[in-house]
Amino acid sequence: MATMQISFLVDRPELASGLIPGLIEHWRDIVPGQTRAARERRFREHMNRDVLPIAWIAHQDGVAAGTASLRSHDLEGRLDLGPWLGGVYVDPPFRRQGIAAALCRVVEEKAHAMGITRLYLFTLDQQSLYARLGWEKFEGAIWQGRACDIMSKILGA
């Protein structure tokens, strides 16, 4: 079995389509009516290495396992905060293997290398995961009508 690799999405764009059905299903209740074309467009916008937004893709043996992004803005109404770790998603068969944590580390390392000192994220239900990774609750917020937490992390601390 090959090892899990994490690549810039721009280097392995052909893998992104494998994540789209799972992403649409995962967010179906919160973002109904999301289309494959909209997801493809979002991935295309994130195909960068040194300009935000940047996405990464975790993959093994040519199969996409997950993704995460570094974005200027991620939460509607909070343009005062940023940049953001966003779009963290791991396909169900690959969960509980440390892939989300590895994706977060890659995003944090790139942000730090770009001179970013503090990142934000928002989550509906993964507060404990992010707390284990050194993130702290910043404040509560509402996204798509649901309560969530904005979390932040000082990089290189």
Side-chain angles (χ1 to χ4, degrees):
M1 185 192 279
T3 359
M4 186 64 59
Q5 294 179 282
I6 297 177
S7 304
F8 283 106
L9 176 60
V10 71
D11 294 333
R12 297 302 306 267
E14 75 281 3
L15 297 176
S17 63
L19 293 175
I20 291 174
L23 282 161
I24 291 171
E25 176 61 26
H26 184 77
W27 296 111
R28 187 173 42 120
D29 294 342
I30 301 164
V31 189
Q34 192 175 109
T35 65
R36 181 171 193 90
R39 272 285 163 192
E40 288 169 349
R41 187 171 49 255
R42 185 129 188 191
F43 273 134
R44 278 194 307 275
E45 292 166 355
H46 284 71
M47 287 190 197
N48 302 302
R49 281 187 194 84
D50 296 306
V51 176
L52 305 188
I54 303 168
W56 288 262
I57 195 155
H59 55 96
Q60 183 175 315
D61 296 326
V63 176
T67 185
S69 302
L70 178 60
R71 302 173 174 153
S72 298
H73 304 290
D74 200 36
L75 185 60
E76 198 174 299
R78 293 312 305 259
L79 296 177
D80 58 314
L81 301 178
W84 296 76
L85 164 66
V88 178
Y89 171 78
V90 177
D91 247 1
F94 296 99
R95 291 184 183 161
R96 301 211 162 291
Q97 298 175 34
I99 296 167
L103 282 161
C104 291
R105 268 192 309 279
V106 167
V107 174
E108 291 169 20
E109 288 166 5
K110 176 64 173 180
H112 185 65
M114 293 175 79
I116 296 165
T117 57
R118 183 178 195 164
L119 274 182
Y120 295 88
L121 65 78
F122 75 93
T123 182
L124 296 166
D125 59 2
Q126 295 297 316
Q127 290 85 343
S128 61
L129 164 69
Y130 294 115
R132 283 194 305 276
L133 300 177
W135 291 77
E136 295 180 354
K137 181 173 176 177
F138 180 73
E139 63 187 43
I142 301 292
W143 179 66
Q144 303 285 11
R146 297 180 188 228
C148 64
D149 285 325
I150 297 173
M151 301 181 79
S152 75
K153 184 174 185 177
I154 304 295
L155 303 178

